Amino acid sequence: VLTMNSVFTLPVSRTFTINPSARLILGNSLTLNGTFTVNGIIEMGPYVISGTGAFTANAATSVLRIGHANGINLVATGAVGNVQTTTRTYGAIGTYIYIGTVAQITGTGLPVALTTGSLQIDNSSGVSLTQATSITGTGNLTLTNGPFRLGNFNFTLAATSPLNGAPFGVNKLVVTDGTGQLIRQIPAAAWVNPYVFPIGSSTSYNPVSVSFTATTATGNLGARFVNSAHPSIGAAADYL
């Protein structure tokens, strides 16, 4: 474990690599004018990594512990979030942990299609999804603490992607009070019943649990919380 409490500048033509199982903890800002590669764990806190160099985290062993309110972002988004270097590469096979102390957004740097990569929400103030995102392989979504707010974007889990963190509740859930849905792929066979959708609003936990006994093909099932009567209920005054 290396803790960097002082301002540090990596010169041009120099290389800094965090090896697998190694951990770097930032206690201050970091300027990268060389090449910085994350093959292990980096705890960024609220600090900024800037400079004219290249930041790369695209290994299966890459773990980004993201603490900035604006998450991580692509170069096209601008100098926003934890990483603000001239070149930035984020892989679909690493682990992204949002662990801020204030409300966060995921940012455009979170890959829109994680394969074996995983996403973990660990922020009591909540994390909001910036764009529609899916886990397409064996990666997982883990809800450790706080609300994961989808807003108007869908979050999709493949049939091979587990949803971890139970027991869920009002302080650990997927908030779906926009148009975005939590979507789970259901296989044609070998179901892992029940399929839990730990959804709700900013003030209530309203989960859905579905089990299957027969399907004819693989398909997707989405759920979101709607705080109103279903339109098919007509003019009934009482409804669930």
Side-chain angles (χ1 to χ4, degrees):
V1 177
L2 173 63
T3 300
M4 195 173 291
N5 289 320
S6 300
V7 175
F8 177 80
T9 299
L10 183 69
V12 176
S13 79
R14 298 289 183 172
T15 299
F16 189 108
T17 301
I18 304 174
N19 291 324
S21 300
R23 180 188 298 260
L24 174 64
I25 302 172
L26 295 187
N28 213 317
S29 296
L30 175 63
T31 300
L32 302 179
N33 296 323
T35 301
F36 189 91
T37 303
V38 181
N39 293 331
I41 303 168
I42 181 168
E43 297 193 22
M44 296 184 283
Y47 303 106
V48 171
I49 301 172
S50 60
T52 59
F55 178 97
T56 301
N58 62 358
T61 52
S62 301
V63 179
L64 302 187
R65 292 173 65 86
I66 301 157
H68 199 284
N70 291 316
I72 54 172
N73 291 277
L74 300 175
V75 171
T77 305
V80 179
N82 270 128
V83 183
Q84 302 181 14
T85 53
T86 298
T87 303
R88 309 164 208 168
T89 303
Y90 305 105
I93 58 176
T95 298
Y96 299 85
I97 302 173
Y98 287 82
I99 192 166
T101 57
V102 297
Q104 293 177 277
I105 61 172
T106 56
T108 58
L110 178 69
V112 295
L114 292 163
T115 52
T116 54
S118 298
L119 172 63
Q120 181 178 347
I121 305 299
D122 190 2
N123 182 344
S124 60
S125 296
V127 178
S128 297
L129 193 63
T130 297
Q131 55 194 348
T133 303
S134 61
I135 299 180
T136 61
T138 56
N140 64 77
L141 170 64
T142 298
L143 303 178
T144 300
N145 184 32
F148 180 31
R149 301 184 178 99
L150 302 190
N152 294 328
F153 303 105
N154 292 338
F155 190 91
T156 303
L157 286 169
T160 51
S161 303
L163 198 165
N164 301 325
F168 306 105
V170 70
N171 295 317
K172 186 169 56 173
L173 78 168
V174 179
V175 174
T176 57
D177 49 7
T179 59
Q181 299 182 58
L182 176 60
I183 300 173
R184 304 197 66 173
Q185 185 184 62
I186 309 301
W191 309 281
V192 185
N193 290 324
Y195 290 87
V196 176
F197 295 76
I199 61 172
S201 70
S202 296
T203 57
S204 63
Y205 179 52
N206 309 91
V208 175
S209 181
V210 182
S211 295
F212 293 86
T213 57
T215 56
T216 57
T218 298
N220 290 336
L221 180 64
R224 68 183 178 93
F225 171 80
V226 179
N227 190 22
S228 64
H230 192 280
S232 298
I233 203 168
D238 300 315
Y239 54 86
L240 294 176

